[in-house]
Amino acid sequence: MHNEKLLVYVQAMSRLLETRPDEPEILAQGGALLATLVASDDWLPALFAVPHPQYYQQYLLYADPLDRFSMVSFVWGPGQKTPVHDHMTWGLIGMLRGQEIETPYHRQSDGSYQPGAHHALVPGQIGFVSPATHDVHEVANAYSDQTSISIHVYGGNIGRIHRHVFDPVTGSTKAFVSGYSLDVVPNLWK
Ligand code: FE2
């Protein structure tokens, strides 16, 4: 399963992180690279684009051996959405197919979380999260009748990172590790 576009992204991201850039530079340059990748929707293998009738899917596309970054195809079935959650590392979101709605949540002095203004991501657009700025959000498929897919890049192995879901009303947290929907990755080198 050779995939030139994905390989080009992984190589460029590896070269970028090799220079040990600070986070704003990672988000700016890594985001520009991701925008190039999601500018066309002709490279994601069908195996990593399959929705589940009940749960949104997170297919691992690549995991850096030094844990500097990982890539996931996030596949939304109709009407699916995340709980309010954090990431505990920087994250880039590149919209590939369909549309998703992101709502940031902001912690209040009483411990609850209030939603900020939501916004839509359409194919080709890039979003980001970061513990340094805003790390808590809820994301939903904008469509109730079709699949949406975004490509996520995180500053570590997101399938192994301990993070949290929140009850926005009470502010109570629950720890979770997201894992991956399939234990396979594309072969970029064949
Ligand atoms: Fe998220």
Side-chain angles (χ1 to χ4, degrees):
M1 194 190 301
H2 181 71
N3 191 313
E4 186 70 27
K5 288 181 179 175
L6 184 53
L7 177 60
V8 165
Y9 180 85
V10 163
Q11 289 177 336
M13 201 64 191
S14 300
R15 288 193 192 99
L16 169 63
L17 295 172
E18 195 65 31
T19 67
R20 298 183 179 277
D22 59 20
E23 189 178 287
E25 201 176 336
I26 294 171
L27 295 174
Q29 293 195 36
L33 292 168
L34 186 58
T36 300
L37 180 64
V38 298
S40 57
D41 182 8
D42 59 358
W43 56 269
L44 183 67
L47 182 62
F48 305 104
V50 180
H52 182 280
Q54 200 172 354
Y55 306 108
Y56 53 85
Q57 300 290 283
Q58 297 162 87
Y59 297 109
L60 179 64
L61 298 179
Y62 180 74
D64 175 60
L66 302 181
D67 269 2
R68 295 172 301 184
F69 72 106
S70 58
M71 287 185 77
V72 171
S73 68
F74 214 102
V75 181
W76 304 95
Q80 292 174 351
K81 70 172 189 176
T82 68
V84 178
H85 65 277
D86 67 9
H87 311 83
M88 305 294 285
T89 182
W90 59 260
L92 286 162
I93 303 148
M95 202 68 214
L96 184 72
R97 196 176 302 174
Q99 187 178 148
E100 69 184 31
I101 307 290
E102 189 209 5
T103 307
Y105 275 74
H106 305 289
R107 192 169 194 277
Q108 308 297 300
S109 54
D110 65 359
S112 68
Y113 285 80
Q114 290 296 314
H118 62 79
H119 62 273
L121 278 183
V122 300
Q125 283 188 326
I126 301 297
F128 74 94
V129 291
S130 164
T133 52
H134 61 294
D135 195 35
V136 179
H137 70 175
E138 175 192 83
V139 188
N141 188 352
Y143 296 113
S144 57
D145 59 353
Q146 70 181 70
T147 298
S148 292
I149 301 177
S150 52
I151 305 302
H152 296 198
V153 183
Y154 301 97
N157 187 337
I158 197 64
R160 238 177 15 213
I161 292 176
H162 291 259
R163 47 201 184 116
H164 312 90
V165 294
F166 301 86
D167 179 329
V169 176
T170 65
S172 66
T173 64
K174 197 171 74 177
F176 82 108
V177 177
S178 51
Y180 297 113
S181 303
L182 276 179
D183 288 326
V184 296
V185 292
N187 183 349
L188 301 182
W189 291 274
K190 188 175 178 183

